[in-house]
Amino acid sequence: MTHVTLFWRKGEREDWLKFGKPVTGRVVSRSERIESYAAGQVFGLVRWASNDYGTVRSALDIVRAVDGHEPCTPVPQVDPGGELLLSVHGWPKVAQVFRLIDAIEAVGIDPCDVAPDHWRHIHNRMAGRQVPRDYSPARHRAWLQRKALLP
């Protein structure tokens, strides 16, 4: 299991899941909860923080939960870590990925089921200051067919 710790302090710090289907969840306190994912599940973790002068952190990580024997990348608040598919920092980039996620949902595709390669594609295109390709239903069908052939 991969555990994601989410914190909330009004006007100061908010962590939430943009998408994901946790297997279990546990409320630790009024300001903290832990969501757990099985190996292979994909989720989008948003971290936001501010101070008296405005926003100091906006980050979005799209992570695939890994099995115990798979290598993983350390991701803040994700225990033990996961396969980091996309990572952006700064509100303009986070907002851009939100729009891409909304476009995927608009065509009836759950972001949890999107091909991991597409999230990597978005990450790489944004790092190179290029426009990412759209994720079409045809591309999604191709991914599902390929996934059915994987061991």
Side-chain angles (χ1 to χ4, degrees):
M1 296 289 279
T2 297
H3 307 286
V4 181
T5 305
L6 303 169
F7 297 99
W8 177 82
R9 271 185 239 116
K10 184 177 181 177
E12 192 177 315
R13 178 177 181 173
E14 295 179 24
D15 303 328
W16 73 91
L17 296 168
K18 177 67 176 165
F19 63 87
K21 298 174 187 167
V23 176
T24 63
R26 179 171 57 102
V27 175
V28 177
S29 68
R30 186 171 179 254
S31 61
E32 180 181 352
R33 76 178 198 269
I34 298 173
E35 303 287 347
S36 300
Y37 292 88
Q41 289 185 295
V42 176
F43 57 90
L45 172 63
V46 181
R47 294 186 310 274
W48 174 88
S50 73
N51 62 18
D52 293 339
Y53 301 101
T55 298
V56 294
R57 178 185 66 187
S58 294
L60 169 63
D61 293 323
I62 296 180
V63 181
R64 186 183 70 83
V66 296
D67 201 0
H69 66 278
E70 292 181 80
C72 66
T73 303
V75 178
Q77 298 167 227
V78 178
D79 182 34
E83 181 182 357
L84 191 58
L85 304 174
L86 178 144
S87 182
V88 292
H89 302 275
W91 181 248
K93 289 181 180 180
V94 170
Q96 182 180 357
V97 176
F98 280 1
R99 287 189 297 274
L100 295 169
I101 292 169
D102 291 344
I104 289 169
E105 291 175 329
V107 295
I109 300 170
D110 186 342
C112 299
D113 299 327
V114 168
D117 289 341
H118 184 69
W119 297 124
R120 290 185 197 101
H121 162 76
I122 292 172
H123 175 88
N124 292 329
R125 285 290 179 107
M126 290 181 69
R129 297 178 190 233
Q130 296 180 349
V131 178
R133 288 188 304 268
D134 290 334
Y135 191 74
S136 65
R139 189 177 298 263
H140 186 63
R141 279 191 304 278
W143 158 244
L144 293 177
Q145 290 172 351
R146 180 177 148 216
K147 184 177 170 183
L149 297 174
L150 295 174

